[in-house]
Amino acid sequence: MGISMSERQSNRRVRLQDGFWNKFTELVRGTVIPYQWEALNDRIPDAEPSYAIRNFRIAAGMEEGEFGGMVFQDSDVAKWIEAVGYSLASQPDPELEGTADELIEQIAKAQHANGYLNTYYSIKEPGNEWTNLHEAHELYCAGHMMEAAIAYYEATGKRKLLDVVCKFADYIDTVFGREQGKLRGYDGHQEIELALVKLYHATGEERYLKLAQFFIDERGQSPNFLIEECKQRGGYSHWAKKELPIPTIEQIAYNQAHLPVREQDVALGHSVRAVYMYAAMADLASLTDDRELLEACRRLWDNTTKRQMYITGGIGSTHHGEAFTFDHDLPNDTVYAETCASIGLIFFARRMLLLEAKSEYADVLERALYNNVLGSMSQDGKHYFYVNPLEVWPKASLNNPDRRHVKSVRQKWFGCSCCPPNVARLLTSLNDYIYTTSALDNKVYTHLFIGSEAQFELAAGQVALKQQSRLPWEGYVRFELTAVPDAAFTLALRIPSWCYGQAVMKINGMISEYEVENGYATVNRQWVQGDIVEWEPVLEAQLISSHPAIRANAGKAAIERGPLVYCLEEADNGSLLPNLSIDRQAELQSYFDTELLGGAVVIEVKGRADERASWQENTAYRPLAQQQVSEPVKLKAVPYYLWGNRQPGEMTVWIRV
Amino acid sequence: MGISMSERQSNRRVRLQDGFWNKFTELVRGTVIPYQWEALNDRIPDAEPSYAIRNFRIAAGMEEGEFGGMVFQDSDVAKWIEAVGYSLASQPDPELEGTADELIEQIAKAQHANGYLNTYYSIKEPGNEWTNLHEAHELYCAGHMMEAAIAYYEATGKRKLLDVVCKFADYIDTVFGREQGKLRGYDGHQEIELALVKLYHATGEERYLKLAQFFIDERGQSPNFLIEECKQRGGYSHWAKKELPIPTIEQIAYNQAHLPVREQDVALGHSVRAVYMYAAMADLASLTDDRELLEACRRLWDNTTKRQMYITGGIGSTHHGEAFTFDHDLPNDTVYAETCASIGLIFFARRMLLLEAKSEYADVLERALYNNVLGSMSQDGKHYFYVNPLEVWPKASLNNPDRRHVKSVRQKWFGCSCCPPNVARLLTSLNDYIYTTSALDNKVYTHLFIGSEAQFELAAGQVALKQQSRLPWEGYVRFELTAVPDAAFTLALRIPSWCYGQAVMKINGMISEYEVENGYATVNRQWVQGDIVEWEPVLEAQLISSHPAIRANAGKAAIERGPLVYCLEEADNGSLLPNLSIDRQAELQSYFDTELLGGAVVIEVKGRADERASWQENTAYRPLAQQQVSEPVKLKAVPYYLWGNRQPGEMTVWIRV
């Protein structure tokens, strides 16, 4: 259990200070959190109302009215408080804290005497609690409230919400379990499992860990709880508002309950549910030293990230069930790649790093963060993508129902608004993702190259360092050791996948050898206060191809530069992007464009445009021989995370070679 | 009205006798019609029951039971009778005729005293007739029964069913109209319009023509009949079995009732409904000399065939609503391209040919016939595609819900089995599509090169000819004039689009000049009995490219040879078809492969396969620079209509260049 405790200690002492990321964390603090507060209070003009705060006021008896929004609407409030907690931890804001305190009072009032807390069931279906775990997200909402309470408690020291969720967790522990009279079940949407682990860390209460383990262990056992529960309801479905056929075991793969988790080999079903579960599995594998669970985590990691992940770190290949499909099926145009799923993948990756410090976990974490997740939010912080496509034709998004879920313009707020608050809580807690330590081994790992000041407690003593980073634009990072212990310790710097092993380390200006361990450049020595470590992974634009079985990308390449995936937009390249191709041998020219949305490195490369002028409008097909020679053009690629911030238009990540 | 009368006369005197097509018409006669009879009688093991015959027996009071199948199940019976009629016309079969007579007796018994005929309403919702034109297909089924009755009457001279449908039509005429107390409406699924025109031709009864005109003219007028009708039902939906929101005018585009038909410019909505309507519009434009309607037909033709048609003659780009989407949106993998829609397109094309003999109509007709339609039926006549894709990955059809409608194996019989009987009635009436005449101008047009013996009545007198054709394998057609009038007349032979203007005509062995009129090679002269006209359009394999705005085909080519589109199948080329590319300059080598499914010309061409061996299974992305040089391979393409007749596997029409 040492790993996670040391992790927690390290986390609390990292302060982000970064040329690239400050802008986004400031955006979250200054705009997103206030904007989402307005949204939660139904005060955004022309956006679907959230009803989320109002539901709590009604459940608290402070207001009359009907429940509004989705059955899991409470979770939006929880995610917002969690983000507020992280934000307050790094930057106090008495007014914001006051607002949150007041909200927490209302939440506490909405809690039942026995500890139960859920506005949907309180307002709309009192008495029906725990009768539809399959669909109704009660434990999911409980989990989010736990995460919120912990973040808020750790930031402010205020226990009010923590007490609420502990009371709720204690109550849940009386409802679920293997003992006679208890429900031997679990939620249709995983989340409480990882939350209970956090609650265990925050409180030291072993019961919460055991309960998380119970939920994970029970999942997928026979007889299948979710199916049996459906039968008990006569098949009645909350969503359909009528009786539906009882789901088959194959259909229950949507909830990853088709097999005991230790027997699962491939990522299946709803992608957010999946990665939230995998994250909890990794937590438990670490905390309980469960070898079988660890192996399952590794298998599911490999399948998810090596066979079912888009180059942007997106997962989920279909909007039907917001789900995984199967190995190498990664269509770029009918893609789902939900923002929340990539955030869940980041949760999973971080826990795998805690289990075993292998750089591939951090590589995926970085990929999802800089591309799928960062690209989901507009530069004004007020508009979001739920679906993050790799190819967009705006007309098709409007007029072809198969692509209607793919938006070419970020939306204000969603009726099901899971993604925006998820982005907020991730970005406000980004400091948690940069380092881990192995306290007993006296190792400090740097996974992400994000400017920050950090302090760690190792067995050898206290370490403090200051990281400065020029990422993602340049491959240059500088560490200053501002406090060192009297004994030796190890600095382990990730060798990012995108430098392909080419990275130079300098210590106090002198090129230094390093050991490579699991993808980390490690140096163990007696450090001296003021030591400067420079880290220079080669960061160059590259053309990337994808595995031949990924049929959607056959004959195509993507452009990557460091952690960033690039794309072509209509704004720079005109329409009909599929008719552009890239010269395989051409030089990728990178330059910093100060004009582009606050400044970014753009890439220009020689390519060709299929000849169009000889085509008549009303000719659909003609001999290829009539095609004139293609025209040389200069292609301009911009970072994927910036797409869709200018006029709406076509976009593509994969380009014909 | 001369055109259509002459058309009918010509039709009755064409007998098909063709090396290529006989096999299929024999298949329909010997296998499909008997097989479908079994299907209609619910006697196909492991196939969904049809209930169609049983419904008539129940409605006739001959059997007890519940209605089964779709609300439009009657139309399957009608289409079967229609096919039987065409089949009997060309080849008497007393046993089959006896079966049909018996069935017709039952149908007659199911007719109400007032003329009404529909088993769904008779059995399931008596009293609710004409309350859900939007969804319930009453007039659609009526139309199909009219077509059946006419075909059967013309083949056998038996009036029983014709009298039934005339009585029904007379009754419909009392229900619908602009007069007070009549319904000023039309069917949600067009079909009766073209059927009433046929009934007018068969009976000479002008009222039927006027009624067709009424339905066409009323469609899309304000206030919108279908929307108002939905309101009257309180939004109750037959399909959803509950109240739904009242459709908007945009949604009513599904039924092509969003605008008066003369104002429609682009093909929208359910593709079968659309082309059935366009066919009726073309009929009426011709019969009533309606210039405005003609212009609408031309616009809709252009949009449908030049911007929304697949190279196979398939239409309908999405399975959502089995519908058109918008110009140039022709995805190959999520395609719909329903068999019935291409058949409807053939109906439309034939009527446009009657309006104005321009070869482009016949080019499309031929394209749809030899590819989308012919490919929909298996070589055993017992399995059918409803959706005719241009790219298939069987695993995706199974595991990605976005592609689940795309089957990689033809199905036995469908719950909604509109397609198989539609194929049967088209193939049994193929003789109707080969020629038209312009009797007053003394012109005989040959649109399709299909072996046949034909007689025509021109103003100049009687013409008889015998066509022999080596299509689709060779560009050689031979006409023998077996009877000629004393006056000159014009032979007009289509110059098929696929010969790109290169076609040689020989008369009695001597190369002969010809005039080109609207894509037809015409020769006017005093012909002599026994004259031999040889027609040699150049038939060579070609690489075809598609308009740059058809994004799905960017950088790709298809192979065509004469009227046939070709495809690559896994059976010949291994899996991972998207990794194959074709050498632009390579020679397309055609040879007749006697082993392939009864024999067909296959095409071989040099190409390249992306290198795969250097890829590790668990690497999804890597630098393009690591890609080894692609390997030379020989690609083997087979006619599209034959795909999916060997082991299931991948298929693609469009190949990277």
Side-chain angles (χ1 to χ4, degrees):
Chain A
M1 300 187 199
I3 297 172
S4 286
M5 288 308 289
S6 69
E7 176 227 335
R8 299 199 60 69
Q9 287 163 10
S10 71
N11 291 344
R12 250 177 270 141
R13 299 182 190 165
V14 181
R15 173 172 294 274
L16 195 132
Q17 185 60 258
D18 184 79
F20 181 77
W21 284 100
N22 271 12
K23 177 176 145 190
F24 299 102
T25 52
E26 279 311 312
L27 190 65
V28 172
R29 214 189 311 283
T31 301
V32 177
I33 289 176
Y35 178 79
Q36 292 186 350
W37 177 246
E38 295 303 297
L40 291 169
N41 283 283
D42 312 330
R43 293 191 293 247
I44 306 290
D46 308 324
E48 281 182 65
S50 159
Y51 305 108
I53 300 284
R54 193 167 148 267
N55 289 337
F56 275 102
R57 293 179 56 84
I58 296 167
M62 301 166 70
E63 198 173 314
E64 294 282 308
E66 284 300 305
F67 178 87
M70 302 277 184
V71 68
F72 48 78
Q73 212 70 2
D74 289 1
S75 62
D76 284 355
V77 173
K79 281 190 253 181
W80 183 81
I81 296 173
E82 188 183 345
V84 168
Y86 299 139
S87 177
L88 294 175
S90 61
Q91 189 168 310
D93 178 338
E95 193 186 325
L96 180 61
E97 191 170 330
T99 303
D101 284 343
E102 200 181 317
L103 172 61
I104 288 168
E105 287 296 329
Q106 294 171 13
I107 293 170
K109 277 191 195 144
Q111 184 169 39
H112 296 199
N114 64 4
Y116 184 81
L117 176 64
N118 182 293
T119 71
Y120 175 81
Y121 279 98
S122 298
I123 300 171
K124 203 148 177 185
E125 290 198 46
N128 281 346
E129 296 83 359
W130 315 124
T131 58
N132 192 350
L133 275 295
H134 183 216
E135 297 179 313
H137 294 69
E138 277 164 292
L139 294 174
Y140 168 87
C141 290
H144 275 301
M145 201 56 83
M146 291 172 194
E147 291 199 87
I150 297 158
Y152 199 73
Y153 163 68
E154 295 191 342
T156 63
K158 292 179 180 168
R159 291 194 58 97
K160 179 96 192 184
L161 192 57
L162 189 65
D163 290 340
V164 165
V165 299
C166 286
K167 189 174 171 187
F168 193 9
D170 293 340
Y171 171 61
I172 291 169
D173 195 37
T174 69
V175 175
F176 289 87
R178 291 192 189 84
E179 299 86 349
Q180 189 92 42
K182 287 187 175 183
L183 272 175
R184 200 162 166 168
Y186 41 86
D187 204 75
H189 196 317
Q190 302 89 321
E191 152 65 23
I192 195 166
E193 299 83 356
L194 71 86
L196 283 166
V197 173
K198 279 193 179 180
L199 196 60
Y200 157 69
H201 283 305
T203 62
E205 181 58 71
E206 289 250 6
R207 239 177 330 122
Y208 302 146
L209 181 65
K210 293 249 178 287
L211 189 55
Q213 207 174 346
F214 164 80
F215 286 134
I216 286 290
D217 289 347
E218 279 303 310
R219 200 166 199 93
Q221 301 293 348
S222 279
N224 190 282
F225 170 75
L226 297 180
I227 293 176
E228 295 305 311
E229 188 206 58
C230 282
K231 287 182 192 164
Q232 290 225 325
R233 283 195 313 277
Y236 184 83
S237 160
H238 167 81
W239 298 107
K241 303 286 176 222
K242 64 177 180 184
E243 289 173 14
L244 292 182
I246 303 299
T248 63
I249 196 77
E250 287 75 29
Q251 289 169 328
I252 285 295
Y254 172 83
N255 311 83
Q256 294 81 37
H258 55 299
L259 274 178
V261 301
R262 287 172 184 74
E263 296 171 28
Q264 297 189 19
D265 292 324
V266 294
L268 272 181
H270 186 259
S271 54
V272 176
R273 284 169 166 82
V275 285
Y276 279 22
M277 177 175 89
Y278 304 161
M281 285 164 65
D283 272 339
L284 289 166
S286 152
L287 287 166
T288 64
D289 245 336
D290 184 329
R291 198 78 208 164
E292 226 187 327
L293 208 48
L294 170 63
E295 287 305 327
C297 288
R298 284 178 176 154
R299 286 195 309 272
L300 292 166
W301 173 268
D302 281 352
N303 184 265
T304 302
T305 63
K306 295 168 186 168
R307 293 173 179 237
Q308 299 204 66
M309 186 181 75
Y310 288 91
I311 194 169
T312 51
I315 51 175
S317 298
T318 176
H319 81 112
H320 284 99
E322 309 177 315
F324 291 106
T325 56
F326 65 102
D327 288 5
H328 301 127
D329 182 40
L330 295 162
N332 295 306
D333 50 0
T334 56
V335 51
Y336 206 67
E338 183 181 340
T339 305
C340 288
S342 284
I343 291 172
L345 181 60
I346 288 171
F347 296 161
F348 182 26
R350 174 159 172 271
R351 284 159 176 87
M352 290 306 287
L353 278 176
L354 293 169
L355 258 173
E356 44 187 6
K358 290 185 181 170
S359 64
E360 64 168 286
Y361 302 127
D363 287 333
V364 167
L365 195 163
E366 183 184 67
R367 183 180 290 282
L369 177 66
Y370 280 84
N371 299 290
N372 198 292
V373 173
L374 192 55
S376 72
M377 185 170 72
S378 66
Q379 294 296 297
D380 69 2
K382 295 179 177 173
H383 300 80
Y384 298 87
F385 285 127
Y386 197 97
V387 168
N388 297 279
L390 284 83
E391 185 180 320
V392 172
W393 181 11
K395 262 193 179 175
S397 295
L398 286 173
N399 298 315
N400 184 328
D402 299 320
R403 316 226 174 145
R404 210 160 275 164
H405 63 288
V406 174
K407 306 296 180 198
S408 58
V409 176
R410 292 174 182 80
Q411 311 288 297
K412 271 191 178 165
W413 187 257
F414 306 98
C416 169
S417 61
C418 50
C419 297
N422 234 348
V423 173
R425 70 181 180 131
L426 178 70
L427 293 186
T428 46
S429 60
L430 203 53
N431 53 328
D432 276 3
Y433 294 81
I434 303 172
Y435 308 98
T436 60
T437 56
S438 183
L440 299 176
D441 299 340
N442 289 312
K443 275 191 188 170
V444 174
Y445 287 95
T446 301
H447 305 295
L448 296 180
F449 302 110
I450 296 180
S452 47
E453 291 179 26
Q455 277 179 289
F456 312 100
E457 208 66 56
L458 302 181
Q462 204 185 65
V463 174
L465 59 78
K466 184 176 175 181
Q467 179 184 172
Q468 290 170 293
S469 167
R470 295 185 194 151
L471 256 66
W473 312 127
E474 287 178 55
Y476 180 85
V477 191
R478 181 180 185 274
F479 296 89
E480 182 183 348
L481 295 176
T482 51
V484 297
D486 288 337
F489 73 93
T490 303
L491 265 190
L493 306 181
R494 175 172 144 256
I495 306 169
S497 59
W498 42 260
C499 79
Y500 300 96
Q502 296 181 64
V504 171
M505 186 191 287
K506 291 180 192 155
I507 299 179
N508 298 325
M510 305 284 288
I511 288 180
S512 170
E513 299 276 298
Y514 52 79
E515 300 278 311
V516 178
E517 283 177 29
N518 291 323
Y520 290 82
T522 61
V523 177
N524 177 281
R525 62 191 255 176
Q526 173 62 55
W527 297 93
V528 179
Q529 189 176 359
D531 274 352
I532 302 293
V533 179
E534 289 166 293
W535 179 233
E536 301 177 16
V538 172
L539 191 156
E540 280 177 359
Q542 300 255 11
L543 289 180
I544 304 293
S545 64
S546 74
H547 191 282
I550 304 177
R551 285 150 174 83
N553 302 334
K556 295 182 177 177
I559 301 173
E560 276 188 1
R561 189 174 180 278
L564 298 181
V565 173
Y566 278 68
C567 66
L568 302 184
E569 281 201 282
E570 186 174 333
D572 303 305
N573 301 282
S575 66
L576 293 176
L577 297 181
N579 289 302
L580 301 177
S581 56
I582 206 163
D583 285 356
R584 194 186 166 133
Q585 309 299 347
E587 192 196 346
L588 296 159
Q589 296 176 305
S590 306
Y591 65 93
F592 196 84
D593 181 350
T594 52
E595 301 294 303
L596 182 72
L597 300 162
V601 170
V602 299
I603 296 173
E604 290 191 342
V605 58
K606 282 186 192 160
R608 310 201 62 93
D610 295 347
E611 183 270 332
R612 300 172 200 173
S614 72
W615 278 92
Q616 295 189 318
E617 262 317 292
N618 266 345
T619 300
Y621 307 104
R622 71 176 194 192
L624 181 65
Q626 289 179 24
Q627 187 77 20
Q628 307 301 302
V629 68
S630 60
E631 294 144 14
V633 289
K634 190 158 251 185
L635 307 179
K636 182 174 173 182
V638 300
Y640 175 80
Y641 80 84
L642 286 174
W643 88 271
N645 278 290
R646 294 174 288 172
Q647 62 272 40
E650 292 179 38
M651 182 276 287
T652 190
V653 168
W654 291 95
I655 310 161
R656 281 165 48 206
V657 177
Chain B
M1 298 188 195
I3 295 173
S4 286
M5 287 309 288
S6 70
E7 175 224 333
R8 299 197 62 69
Q9 288 162 8
S10 72
N11 290 344
R12 252 178 265 139
R13 300 182 192 167
V14 180
R15 172 172 295 274
L16 196 130
Q17 186 59 259
D18 184 80
F20 181 76
W21 285 100
N22 271 12
K23 175 177 147 191
F24 299 103
T25 52
E26 279 311 311
L27 190 66
V28 172
R29 213 188 311 281
T31 301
V32 177
I33 289 176
Y35 178 78
Q36 292 186 350
W37 178 246
E38 295 304 296
L40 291 170
N41 282 284
D42 312 331
R43 294 192 292 248
I44 305 291
D46 308 325
E48 281 182 66
S50 160
Y51 306 108
I53 301 283
R54 194 168 148 268
N55 289 336
F56 276 102
R57 294 178 56 84
I58 295 167
M62 301 166 69
E63 199 174 315
E64 294 282 308
E66 285 300 306
F67 178 87
M70 303 277 182
V71 69
F72 48 79
Q73 212 70 1
D74 290 1
S75 61
D76 284 355
V77 174
K79 281 189 253 180
W80 184 81
I81 296 173
E82 189 183 346
V84 168
Y86 298 140
S87 177
L88 294 176
S90 61
Q91 190 168 308
D93 179 339
E95 193 185 326
L96 180 61
E97 192 170 328
T99 303
D101 285 342
E102 199 180 317
L103 173 59
I104 288 168
E105 288 296 330
Q106 295 171 12
I107 293 171
K109 278 193 195 143
Q111 184 169 37
H112 295 200
N114 64 5
Y116 184 81
L117 176 63
N118 182 293
T119 71
Y120 174 81
Y121 280 99
S122 298
I123 301 171
K124 204 149 177 184
E125 290 199 45
N128 281 345
E129 295 84 359
W130 315 125
T131 58
N132 191 350
L133 275 294
H134 183 216
E135 296 177 313
H137 294 69
E138 277 164 295
L139 295 174
Y140 168 87
C141 290
H144 274 301
M145 200 56 83
M146 291 172 195
E147 290 199 86
I150 297 158
Y152 200 72
Y153 163 67
E154 296 193 340
T156 63
K158 293 179 180 168
R159 292 195 57 97
K160 180 96 191 185
L161 193 56
L162 188 65
D163 290 340
V164 165
V165 299
C166 286
K167 188 174 173 188
F168 193 8
D170 293 341
Y171 172 60
I172 291 168
D173 195 38
T174 69
V175 175
F176 291 88
R178 292 193 189 83
E179 298 86 348
Q180 189 92 42
K182 287 188 174 181
L183 272 174
R184 200 162 166 167
Y186 41 86
D187 204 76
H189 196 317
Q190 302 89 320
E191 152 66 22
I192 194 166
E193 300 83 355
L194 71 86
L196 283 167
V197 173
K198 279 193 180 180
L199 196 60
Y200 156 70
H201 284 306
T203 62
E205 181 57 72
E206 290 252 5
R207 240 178 327 124
Y208 302 148
L209 182 64
K210 293 251 179 284
L211 188 55
Q213 208 175 347
F214 163 81
F215 286 134
I216 287 290
D217 288 347
E218 279 303 310
R219 201 166 197 93
Q221 301 293 346
S222 279
N224 190 282
F225 170 75
L226 297 180
I227 293 176
E228 295 306 312
E229 187 205 58
C230 281
K231 287 182 193 163
Q232 290 225 324
R233 284 196 312 278
Y236 183 82
S237 159
H238 167 83
W239 297 108
K241 302 286 175 221
K242 63 178 179 183
E243 289 173 15
L244 292 183
I246 304 299
T248 62
I249 197 77
E250 287 75 28
Q251 289 168 328
I252 286 294
Y254 172 82
N255 311 83
Q256 296 80 37
H258 56 299
L259 274 178
V261 301
R262 286 172 184 74
E263 296 171 29
Q264 297 188 21
D265 293 324
V266 294
L268 270 181
H270 186 260
S271 54
V272 176
R273 284 169 165 82
V275 285
Y276 280 21
M277 177 175 88
Y278 304 161
M281 286 165 64
D283 272 339
L284 290 166
S286 153
L287 288 166
T288 64
D289 246 336
D290 183 329
R291 198 78 209 163
E292 226 186 328
L293 209 47
L294 170 64
E295 287 305 328
C297 288
R298 285 179 176 153
R299 287 195 309 272
L300 292 166
W301 173 267
D302 281 350
N303 184 265
T304 302
T305 64
K306 295 168 187 170
R307 293 172 179 238
Q308 299 203 65
M309 187 183 74
Y310 288 92
I311 194 169
T312 51
I315 51 174
S317 299
T318 176
H319 80 113
H320 284 99
E322 308 177 316
F324 291 107
T325 56
F326 65 102
D327 288 5
H328 301 127
D329 182 42
L330 294 163
N332 295 306
D333 50 0
T334 56
V335 51
Y336 205 66
E338 183 182 341
T339 305
C340 287
S342 284
I343 291 173
L345 180 60
I346 288 172
F347 296 162
F348 182 25
R350 175 159 172 272
R351 284 159 175 86
M352 290 306 287
L353 279 176
L354 292 168
L355 257 174
E356 44 186 7
K358 290 185 182 170
S359 65
E360 65 167 287
Y361 302 127
D363 286 333
V364 167
L365 196 165
E366 183 184 66
R367 183 181 289 282
L369 176 66
Y370 280 84
N371 298 290
N372 197 292
V373 172
L374 192 55
S376 72
M377 186 170 71
S378 66
Q379 293 297 297
D380 68 3
K382 296 180 179 175
H383 300 79
Y384 297 87
F385 285 127
Y386 197 97
V387 167
N388 297 278
L390 284 84
E391 185 180 320
V392 171
W393 180 11
K395 260 194 180 175
S397 294
L398 286 174
N399 298 314
N400 184 327
D402 300 320
R403 317 225 173 147
R404 211 160 276 165
H405 63 288
V406 175
K407 306 296 180 198
S408 57
V409 176
R410 291 174 183 81
Q411 311 287 297
K412 271 192 182 165
W413 187 257
F414 306 99
C416 169
S417 61
C418 49
C419 297
N422 234 348
V423 174
R425 69 179 180 133
L426 178 70
L427 293 186
T428 47
S429 60
L430 203 51
N431 53 326
D432 276 3
Y433 294 82
I434 303 172
Y435 309 97
T436 60
T437 56
S438 182
L440 299 176
D441 299 341
N442 289 312
K443 275 192 187 170
V444 174
Y445 288 94
T446 301
H447 304 296
L448 296 179
F449 302 109
I450 297 180
S452 48
E453 290 178 27
Q455 278 179 286
F456 312 100
E457 208 66 56
L458 303 182
Q462 204 186 64
V463 174
L465 60 78
K466 184 175 175 184
Q467 179 184 174
Q468 290 170 293
S469 167
R470 296 188 194 149
L471 256 69
W473 311 127
E474 288 177 55
Y476 180 83
V477 191
R478 180 180 185 274
F479 297 88
E480 182 184 345
L481 296 176
T482 51
V484 297
D486 288 337
F489 73 92
T490 303
L491 264 190
L493 306 180
R494 176 172 142 255
I495 306 169
S497 59
W498 41 261
C499 79
Y500 300 96
Q502 296 181 63
V504 171
M505 186 189 289
K506 292 179 193 155
I507 299 180
N508 298 325
M510 303 284 290
I511 288 181
S512 169
E513 300 276 299
Y514 52 78
E515 300 278 312
V516 178
E517 282 177 30
N518 290 324
Y520 290 82
T522 62
V523 176
N524 178 280
R525 62 190 251 176
Q526 173 61 55
W527 297 91
V528 178
Q529 190 177 358
D531 273 351
I532 304 292
V533 179
E534 291 166 293
W535 179 232
E536 301 178 15
V538 172
L539 191 157
E540 281 177 358
Q542 299 255 13
L543 289 180
I544 304 293
S545 64
S546 76
H547 191 282
I550 304 177
R551 286 150 173 83
N553 302 334
K556 295 182 178 176
I559 302 173
E560 275 189 0
R561 188 173 179 280
L564 297 181
V565 173
Y566 279 69
C567 66
L568 302 184
E569 282 201 280
E570 186 174 334
D572 303 305
N573 301 282
S575 68
L576 292 176
L577 297 181
N579 289 302
L580 301 176
S581 56
I582 206 163
D583 286 356
R584 194 187 165 131
Q585 309 298 349
E587 192 196 346
L588 295 158
Q589 295 176 305
S590 306
Y591 66 93
F592 196 85
D593 181 350
T594 52
E595 301 293 303
L596 182 72
L597 299 161
V601 169
V602 299
I603 296 173
E604 290 191 343
V605 58
K606 282 186 192 160
R608 307 198 68 90
D610 295 347
E611 183 271 330
R612 301 172 197 171
S614 72
W615 278 92
Q616 296 188 317
E617 263 317 292
N618 266 346
T619 300
Y621 307 104
R622 70 176 194 191
L624 181 66
Q626 291 178 23
Q627 187 78 21
Q628 308 299 302
V629 69
S630 60
E631 295 146 13
V633 289
K634 190 158 251 185
L635 307 179
K636 182 175 173 183
V638 300
Y640 175 80
Y641 80 85
L642 285 174
W643 87 271
N645 278 290
R646 293 174 289 172
Q647 62 272 39
E650 292 178 38
M651 183 276 287
T652 189
V653 168
W654 291 96
I655 309 160
R656 281 166 47 207
V657 177

